[in-house]
Each structure stands twice: as C-alpha cells, then as structure tokens.
Amino acid sequence: MKLRGRILDVACLNRFTRVVTTISKLTKVCVLRLTPDNLFFVLSGKVANGGIGMWCELSQANVFDEYQMEGVSSEDNEICLEVTPENLSRALKTVQSAKAVKVKLTKKHCPCLTIAAELPTMSSTSRVVTHDVPVDIVPRRLWHEFKEPSMPDFHVSVYLPPLKTMKNVVDRMKNLSNFLVMEANLIGEMNLKIETDLVSVTTHFKDLGNPPWGDDASQDGGPSHSREPEAMVQARVDIRKLQQFLMGQQVNPSKAMCNIVHERVVHLILLHEDVSLQYFIPAVA
Amino acid sequence: MDCVVTGGNVKVLAKAIHSLSRIGDELYVEPQEDGLALRSVNSSRSAYACFLFAPLFFSRYTIPSGHTFRCKIAIKSVQAVFRSLATLEKTVEKCHIELDEQKNHLTFTLHCKHGLMKTHNLSFQDSESLQAVFDKDSYANVFRSHPRLLVDTVVHFPPSLEEVTVSVSDERMWVRNHVEEEADQSKAMLTELCLASDEFDHFAVQAHNSVTFCLKELRGLLVFAESTGLPISMYFDEPGSPIVLSVTDSVLEGNFVLATLSDDHNHRKNNTKRECTLPPPPPDDFMNDDIDAYLIAMDTSIAPGPSATCLSTPPVADSICSKQSAAANHRTRLHSEEEEEEEEEEYETADSGRPPNKKFCSLFFGSVLSPSSQMTTQPVTSQEVLASDSEDDVQ
C-alpha cells in the first residue's frame, strides 16, 4: 500500500481543508477511502453511529497536483483507513500558508497519514512542519460496509432553504424539544415542526422547488404518483443530529436537497463543485 | 509602600498581571529597592514567573523603610482591578498602589478621566519569600527571537496540549508535542516543527539537548511579549534543569521559569530527522508522578514580615524553614540580567558562610545543588544526595 500526494494549489488546499473540517464536525471517526480517482469519507449507517450514514466524495485531481496511490492489491486497488478527521483538519489548518503540502501514508509508531509542509518565513530557510495523524487500516473483509449507499426510494425530494436559515430555526427549536419533524411535498413546500405537551411550533418554507430526478434517478418507480402533490411526506428525527449536520457546514453548497422516505429516513445531499456530501438521518418513532 | 504608575505603563502592568495569572492563583508582591517584584508560582511548583518593574517604571516609587515587606494576594482580585485592557487604555490616567499595613490592605486606586476614581482595597496575606533558583546565564543554550516566531510555532499545537519537547542542534530547533508513554501512543497525533537558526535574532547552542516542559503556562508570556513587542530570550540546559524565558526592556524584566522533565523520563523515541541524540532511556521503574520530576528548586522561607507571626524571626532560609515547607526547600539565588540597564543586585537568601542548609533531595531529581555550585556558573561536579527530611511524601 502506498500513498504519496502533493497539494500545490492554495485554493485546492483551502477547499480540501474546509471539506475535512466539515467532516470533523459531523463525526469523530470515519473511514477514508482512496481510489485512483477519488477520495471518500464514509460513515456507515450502523447502530453504533446512531444510525447516521455519511458519504462524502471528492475527486482526487481537484485536491492533489501529484498523486500516487497503490492499493492493497491490483484487483483491490484502493486504500481504506479509519481516521479521526479532527486531527486531519487541525493539521491542514496549520499549513494553509505553505507553498506545497505533502500527504503520505507512513509507518511511524503506527500507520499514519503524514502531512508535511514547508512554511514561508522571513529568513532564507523555510520552516518545516510535520503532522503524523494516526490511522487504522481497514481490512478488506470489512470493505463492504463502506460502499456507496444506494439512493433510497424517496417519496419526496425538495431543495433545501438556505442552510443558515435552517440552522437558526433548528437551533431555537432544539431548546423546546428533542425531536423534530421534517416534512415536504411535491410543490416545493417544506415544514419543520416540533410538538410538545405545551407548545407546537412550525416553520413553513415555500417555493423551494423540487429537483427533477426523473425516472432514472430513483429505483422502483420513484415518487409515488398516486400521492397528492400537496400531501406532506414526513420523518421525525432526533433534532441534535440535524443540528449537527447544519452546524458543520463550512462550504456554501451550490445545490442542497433533501429526500424524505416517509417515516423512514431523511437523506440530505449537498453539492459543491465536485464535492458531494450525503447525510442520512434515520427517522424515530 | 507608595507607587504611582502613569499613562501607558498602567496597561503594561495590567498585562503582566494577566500573564502571571496563567501561572498560579496568587500574586506575590514584594517591593524591593531595585523595583517592584510581582511573582507567581503554580501549585505543583513546576512553573514560576516574576516581573520586576524598575523604579523608573513608576512616576513615584517609595518602598517601606526599615523592613522588607512581602505579601500575597489572590490574583483574581488583582485582575479584577485591571479587568478590561481596552478601558484601561482609554480612561485610566494613573494607578496608585498604597500599602496599609494596619489593615492589611493593598489599595489600588485608578485615577480615571473626568475625575473618576476607582479604589480597590485588596487584603493580603503575609507570605514567604518566593524566588526560584535558576542561573540562566550559565545555561548552555541561549536563543532570542521576536515573539511572533514563538507564537507562530505554538499555534501548530492544540490549546489543550500539555507538554512540548524542544530539541536543538547547531543550526536547528525542533519543537514537537510530547506524548506520555502511558497514554495510548497509537492514537496520539504527533506534530513536529523545525525552525532554522536564522529565524532567530540569536541562536547559540553549546549542548545538543532536548527538554520537555509544559506549554500551557508559557502562553501567558507569549501574549505579554507579543502585545508589547519585546523580544523573548530562551535559556535552557540539560533535561531536568528549568527552561527560562525572559523579556526585558529598560524598565522591566519578566522571567518565566518552567521545570523540565529530567532525563529519566525522556523516553521519547528518537526522531531520525534530528541530529542530536538522547541518552539511552533507563528502565522505567520509577513510580513517581511526573509532577515531581517537574519541580523547580524553590525557596519558600518565611520572611520576617510586618505582622506578627508566631515564629521567631529566623534568618532567611534557615533550616527551620525547611521543616515547615511542604514543598521543596532549596536555597535560592536570583541572578539579575547583566545586559540590562537595571541596577544589578544579587539577592542572597543564604550566605556561603552559613552552615549548609537542608538541601532538597529527591531520588527522582537528577541533581542537588550544593552551596558552592550556586556561587559559580561552572557545572556541578560533585553532588551529595541526602535523604529528604521533609514530611511530605515525594511519590
């Protein structure tokens, strides 16, 4: 297994750092998959993670100027590592001013992702900083847990309102209840509702628009045609999980969508340039 | 005691107090002939800081005549006087510090604009003398740099990081985080920064050593130095002897003394990049806490203070004190800086003529200071290790 990459473009470094920082705010530990073309940050939707699933994909060419990767074997030409994204984020944040950043898979006291950079200084010699981020190699027999999740059979897909607005609403609702109901319909309306014994609060969003998935985007017939366009499809989720998702966003997405499977799962999709982030929040009773 | 600080110096005084608050909970105040000394030490005695403000720093400086006065005040109370630096700058014209020995009060009066006066009466406690033993001019390695260099270095480490290891060779300095052996090594992130000698204003290495110390307590000095723009000088010797960081200008001198891990604990694996080598680590059979390894030699003798203490007033640093102090007992000597224009005066708390005082001894310490070593800057050639007489358990 070998990995050597160099990031030379400041903008790419900046963007990569922000993606990693976003991931670090969503989860403490995740799996990093490296293939010849892509990088994936994956959280499998296991009970241990509270049922949360995450899939973040970016193309390696938009991060690295030089990239050499040799996977576990020629048939399984990929590297799968378990990493604490916060460490990676911290390391990357300190090297933002560097002319070049090297990323290597190394073996120090344990397998590590080493981030090394030369920082510019006032003097002739540059300052060299090295961060060794410990990682765990994920064995091949477990790779099936970290495959790209299939698009669920959603009932409604809707574009999200501005994330900042959503975050403000959810932050305040969190003070009143632990659970929030997200509902949306086929005419671009979305509601965020909380209900307690004493009070219920609903925030209505209109004219959001529905993404045109078409028949090929979803399996099994897609949105139910027999459903009334105004009928709301809903899922009740743990409000903290939604809040965590909204708090972590560092990159302003160019597209933000939400697919709801009635009373099953909320599937959030954010797209920005070549970076896509999918986040699955299971519904609770 | 009667001192007045005017204008911009009020803010400097405030900043010094805030940086001392990062060390310990109490501020030790001692008006001396060569200036006002403000000191602080942490509870484990592994970090000590002292700011000495020369008489010229003040527009009026009068000290109690006839007797030495020392006291300690809860540092939070003093910080409350100088709480908002921005406000101080804008509104405070002068600060008057007066001692009221009858009431055991130290009165801080802030004379502000528009005739406003804020008076704070802070009660103090008598205190022992607090001076750390260190002889930075004898240390093998000396560096000086603009504070920005150290601030930029420290930013690579998380605020929660406890310990860093600094290693030097002739041309380079490496700073890396120190990971305890007991901690889960495989999960710890390691960061290392390499600085070249030409980033420093002064870089003199005589011994390729590696010292490990607590970073947290240092941050107070960094904030002070950066805001005042004063260059920071760094002195260190072998592992076990403290690392000293100083800032000086014509009217003030600040010294931060941090204990370093002694050699026995330096198990850190050699980084192949470094040119210097550590001595082979001895087997780790010590059951001691790291805190002990961090102790700095301190003198905590009781001063013949103004208020009536039950003790007879013994000569300072007599062996009586050593029985009382729970912490380490050492004789101390504070060496002033030669480079500065300040008055040079050596404060000897013990003369060589006296019979040897109790020396601090610990099996866990590499060295014990014998009387003769304190008079010279030569390395100690022979040392005697005695069993500790004090009651505290050094474990």
Side-chain angles (χ1 to χ4, degrees), chain B residues 72-91:
Chain B
K72 63 181 177 186
I73 309 180
I75 208 166
K76 281 197 165 36
S77 319
V78 192
Q79 277 186 289
V81 177
F82 299 103
R83 190 171 297 288
S84 163
L85 291 175
T87 324
L88 281 176
E89 199 172 15
K90 287 198 207 113
T91 61

Side-chain angles (χ1 to χ4, degrees), chain A residues 124-125 127-128 130-132, chain B residues 187 190-192 194 196 198-199:
Chain A
S124 50
T125 28
R127 223 178 276 169
V128 176
T130 315
H131 296 273
D132 294 317
Chain B
K187 288 306 153 209
L190 300 176
T191 299
E192 183 181 275
C194 178
D198 54 1
E199 291 206 65

